[in-house]
């Protein structure tokens, strides 16, 4: 096992990979509750979606760990589950079974794109400064998710966003967790984020903000049935051949493509596994991601994708695919211990998400801000991710500016032809999206 995962070469060990796998799992565990909650608004069975979420995450993450050997975990994405629920099913009135068939189609197209090597070529054509910007933007995005989940920031009718009610006990618990985790990390404790989560959960139980598990039934439960959602995507595959579904499928494809590319680069840079600004084994990592979407659609969930939360595991030392194998194992275990996961509330995970933001924005220091032609696309890439609540939209806006500023500054020769292609595709994306 040590040899297969090259633990010695990567300067890691089984214990550290285990803590990393558990940390990533805990940072992502909220999806086990958020996803069924959201998708059930379409009429899907919440218990089946819970099981589908855990199974899709476990299989996708296991393949990523074993085949691509990346410390990257996967689960149904928060951007695309919202698009699936609120735009496709509730907005367009498309039945969830057909929408799920659309997810399946996008996953299959992805596999074809990956096998043809197109995805890998696109990722490698992105200039290093924009790759850094993507990583930093994802950092802001994930910190924003954390701040929002913990209600440290909240919606405001006049300014869109404002500070939340920081005197509310649950918000105070999240802030307590944040301060504890920051102090542990400042002292150099590698698993500071993980210990911070445990301390926050225990404090939450002591102060009555988190329900402690009671008795055996509060800890273990049977695996919910997948029957209501399993295979519906396949059964309804014949319904995707409409113009409306074509737009839906292309959106699934587009968002997943760039979200995954940005996330893989961000996590790989953080883990120090990028070589010459390129992703080693990129094809395998992309294939793992694409097949996870297919598995997810078949069992009953919207697009499964590489999670930015994987950086929490990397930040406690996770470097190899073994981290992912452990994370996958926890997702499988979660199927049996679903009541226990109630302890991992958003107040417990929020500090981790916010601190990961701190760690990820460090990429900003390597962007040449004194070069206006780079500063502009990098700035929009970073800023628009949290503001539009979409990694893919941030990338699209930033990448539209890149050839414009580079050409005007007389640096046209340095632009990779693929970046021109993306310029056109992103403009078309915005035209047809609206
Ligand atoms: N990269 C990524 N990470 C996430 N974490 C939660 N949701 C998402 C998502 O949609 N994309």
């Amino acid at each position: 096992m040590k040899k297969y995962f090259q633990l010695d070469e990567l300067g890691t060990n089984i214990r550290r990979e285990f803590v990393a796998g558990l940390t990533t799992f805990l940072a992502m565990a909220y999806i086990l509750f958020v996803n069924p909650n959201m998708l059930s608004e379409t009429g899907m069975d919440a218990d089946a979606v819970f099981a589908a979420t855990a199974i899709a995450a476990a299989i996708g993450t296991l393949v990523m760990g074993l085949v691509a050997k990346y410390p990257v975990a996967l689960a149904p994405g928060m951007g695309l589950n919202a698009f699936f629920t609120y735009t496709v099913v509730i907005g367009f009135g498309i039945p969830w079974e057909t929408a799920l068939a659309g997810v399946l189609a996008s996953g299959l197209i992805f596999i074809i794109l990956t096998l043809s090597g197109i995805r890998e070529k696109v990722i490698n054509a992105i200039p290093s400064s924009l790759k850094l910007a993507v990583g930093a933007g994802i950092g802001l995005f994930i910190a924003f998710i954390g701040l929002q989940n913990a209600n440290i920031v909240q919606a405001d009718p006049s300014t869109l966003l404002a500070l939340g009610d920081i005197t509310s006990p649950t918000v105070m618990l999240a802030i307590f967790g944040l301060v504890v985790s920051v102090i542990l990390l400042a002292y150099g404790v590698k698993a500071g984020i993980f210990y911070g989560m445990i301390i926050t959960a225990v404090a939450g139980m002591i102060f009555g903000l988190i329900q402690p598990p009671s008795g055996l039934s509060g800890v273990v439960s049977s695996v919910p049935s997948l029957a209501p959602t399993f295979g519906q995507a396949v059964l309804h595959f014949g319904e995707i051949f409409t113009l409306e579904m074509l737009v839906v499928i292309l959106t699934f494809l587009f968002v997943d493509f760039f979200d995954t590319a940005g996330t893989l680069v961000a996590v790989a840079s953080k883990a120090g596994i990028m070589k010459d600004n390129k992703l080693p084994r990129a094809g395998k990592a992309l294939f793992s991601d694409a097949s996870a979407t297919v598995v997810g659609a078949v069992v009953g969930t919207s697009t499964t994708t590489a999670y930015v939360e994987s950086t929490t595991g990397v930040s406690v030392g996770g470097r190899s695919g073994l981290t992912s194998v452990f994370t996958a194992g926890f997702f499988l275990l979660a199927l049996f211990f679903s009541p226990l996961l109630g302890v991992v509330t958003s107040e417990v995970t929020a500090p981790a998400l916010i601190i990961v933001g701190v760690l990820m924005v460090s990429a900003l220091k390597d962007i040449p801000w004194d070069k206006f032609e780079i500063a502009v696309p990098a700035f929009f890439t970073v800023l628009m991710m949290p503001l539009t609540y979409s990694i893919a939209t941030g990338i699209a806006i930033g990448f539209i500016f890149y050839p414009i500023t580079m050409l005007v500054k007389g640096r046209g020769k340095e632009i990779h032809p693929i970046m021109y292609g993306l310029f056109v595709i992103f403009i078309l994306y915005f035209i047809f999206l609206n």
Side-chain angles (χ1 to χ4, degrees), residues 12 28 33 67 72 118 125 136 170 177 374 376 382 392 406:
T12 179
M28 295 171 67
F33 300 98
V67 178
V72 169
I118 293 176
T170 48
I374 300 292
V376 169
V382 173
M406 287 290 281

Side-chain angles (χ1 to χ4, degrees), residues 15-37:
R15 191 183 161 276
R16 192 175 291 173
E17 296 288 299
F18 176 83
V19 172
L22 179 59
T23 303
T24 296
F25 167 74
L26 289 177
M28 295 171 67
Y30 69 88
I31 197 64
L32 289 164
F33 300 98
V34 175
N35 206 43
N37 243 322

Side-chain angles (χ1 to χ4, degrees), residues 346-365:
S346 50
E347 292 77 34
V348 177
T349 55
L353 303 185
I354 298 163
I355 293 169
V356 167
V358 178
L359 304 176
M360 292 187 73
V361 292
S362 67
L364 291 176
K365 74 179 189 306

